Amino acid sequence: MSANDLNSQDADYQINEISLKNKSVSKDSNFWDIFNFGKNNKEYGYWLWASDMYKVDLNKMEDEGVKYIFLNSYAFTEYGQRDVLDWIKEANKHGIEVHVWMQIFNNGNWISPVQKNGTPDNKYFNYKIEEAKYYAGLDEVSGIQIDYIRFEGNAYNFKNGTKAINQFVENFSKEVRKVNPDLTLSATVMPEADKDEYYYGQDIPTLSKYVDAIVPMMYKGNYNETSSWFENTTEWFVNNSGDAEIWCGLQTYESDNNISALPASELITDADYCFDGGSKKVIFFRWGMNEELENKKLN
């Protein structure tokens, strides 16, 4: 799929491309470093399409301060387990964690979490959970990133839609953690805060009980927002996500209707607003769409 095919409001990869010390003062320390501590503790990552896996320069990523890659799960189909795990091992050598990025209720087309009678589609739930358990059993994988855990924007038309999504994420978390309790689980959500449940079936306080991190897709161009929107929105998610961390997802281009790359300086400013609001990490969507950012030292 080309960048021109982007047409959704989130980080979702349309899978029809086929057709995761405290510092103390000592005589040897720089006094002013104490006040800078934390400013260099910001962590960044990228979503990465399977088709771009071998295009990434891991040496360069390490040098620029990238710590996380959300690698689309289709990589295992495209390249096979051995090649993907070899690539992940190499990324790990560069200090980069790789999380397998799964799409749940969209595989190129929308898949409803509920059947016509309003009951959860447990057969499909179990299918995706079994897939996740496979990734969880691979030692090289550091986490699983679940995307598209939502309706298209019409959740209010479905009986028990939110309940079904909550049930899926709860079961997903329990079963995956049986395989690897140390795996980091993150979930992308829409950035519309208290409207997420009505439109998308995403009950943020409940979902937060089952994952380690909530990743609001803060795509300002899609919402005609300015940079200051990031801080307030991040704070809302921090205040409504319990013990789950907030990792902000940022769009590296103008909008889904205009895929011109945003200036790298603007993206770093946007990221700083997210960090100011309480985000622990910033993940950029996506690698391969903003050459200036990909050549910029982040830390």
Side-chain angles (χ1 to χ4, degrees):
M1 185 176 82
S2 71
N4 291 322
D5 293 322
L6 287 170
N7 59 5
S8 67
Q9 290 184 339
D10 46 36
D12 308 313
Y13 158 36
Q14 301 292 328
I15 231 167
N16 58 1
E17 179 182 325
I18 304 172
S19 287
L20 241 270
K21 298 176 181 175
N22 295 326
K23 239 185 181 183
S24 58
V25 179
S26 77
K27 64 181 181 180
D28 298 317
S29 65
N30 183 331
F31 177 77
W32 295 107
D33 283 346
I34 299 170
F35 298 97
N36 290 325
F37 181 63
K39 290 185 178 179
N40 296 321
N41 202 31
K42 299 169 182 176
E43 295 189 317
Y44 300 89
Y46 280 98
W47 274 278
L48 180 66
W49 280 1
S51 56
D52 287 330
M53 189 179 85
Y54 283 119
K55 298 176 186 177
V56 169
D57 184 334
L58 293 170
N59 286 303
K60 184 177 176 184
M61 270 196 170
E62 178 185 14
D63 184 60
E64 290 167 357
V66 175
K67 297 294 184 183
Y68 301 90
I69 290 175
F70 291 169
L71 175 64
N72 193 269
S73 59
Y74 179 60
F76 287 90
T77 302
E78 178 74 5
Y79 307 112
Q81 176 178 306
R82 178 178 297 178
D83 286 356
V84 174
L85 294 186
D86 284 347
W87 186 88
I88 294 176
K89 287 178 184 177
E90 188 62 28
N92 293 163
K93 291 177 183 177
H94 291 276
I96 300 171
E97 286 189 10
V98 178
H99 298 209
V100 176
W101 162 27
M102 296 179 64
Q103 288 125 263
I104 305 302
F105 297 118
N106 189 302
N107 64 357
N109 295 296
W110 286 100
I111 300 165
S112 176
V114 293
Q115 301 179 83
K116 290 183 179 179
N117 62 1
T119 60
D121 190 347
N122 288 312
K123 182 177 180 180
Y124 182 74
F125 289 7
N126 292 336
Y127 165 72
K128 296 306 289 184
I129 288 170
E130 286 302 312
E131 180 186 350
K133 287 166 67 176
Y134 161 71
Y135 304 133
L138 303 173
D139 291 339
E140 294 81 359
V141 172
S142 296
I144 296 179
Q145 207 279 309
I146 51 174
D147 200 359
Y148 270 134
I149 50 163
R150 65 179 185 88
F151 290 87
E152 186 176 6
N154 57 352
Y156 49 82
N157 286 329
F158 292 83
K159 181 181 178 181
N160 299 324
T162 299
K163 183 178 179 181
I165 289 174
N166 287 343
Q167 179 183 318
F168 170 78
V169 177
E170 180 180 12
N171 292 349
F172 184 100
S173 176
K174 286 180 178 178
E175 293 303 313
V176 166
R177 293 190 193 282
K178 286 179 185 177
V179 178
N180 183 352
D182 297 322
L183 204 69
T184 300
L185 299 183
S186 63
T188 54
V189 299
M190 297 300 278
E192 295 169 37
D194 56 359
K195 297 181 179 66
D196 277 1
E197 184 172 350
Y198 180 75
Y199 289 107
Y200 308 107
Q202 294 181 323
D203 172 0
I204 304 304
T206 300
L207 296 178
S208 302
K209 297 176 183 178
Y210 311 126
V211 297
D212 300 296
I214 293 289
V215 188
M217 295 172 289
M218 313 274 265
Y219 295 0
K220 70 177 183 183
N222 290 357
Y223 291 92
N224 295 314
E225 294 287 355
T226 60
S227 295
S228 59
W229 172 69
F230 290 105
E231 185 171 359
N232 293 333
T233 305
T234 303
E235 286 178 352
W236 186 92
F237 279 97
V238 169
N239 292 333
N240 287 274
S241 297
D243 293 332
E245 292 186 351
I246 300 302
W247 304 351
C248 287
L250 299 192
Q251 189 176 40
T252 60
Y253 46 94
E254 291 283 351
S255 73
D256 289 343
N257 295 320
N258 177 4
I259 59 169
S260 300
L262 288 168
S265 59
E266 182 176 336
L267 285 164
I268 297 304
T269 296
D270 292 347
D272 285 341
Y273 275 108
C274 289
F275 288 124
D276 289 344
S279 183
K280 300 297 184 183
K281 300 172 181 39
V282 166
I283 312 296
F284 293 112
F285 183 74
R286 64 174 169 80
W287 189 91
M289 292 198 71
N290 194 310
E291 186 176 355
E292 183 188 6
L293 181 68
E294 290 153 23
N295 286 303
K296 185 174 182 62
K297 206 169 185 68
L298 299 171
N299 267 329

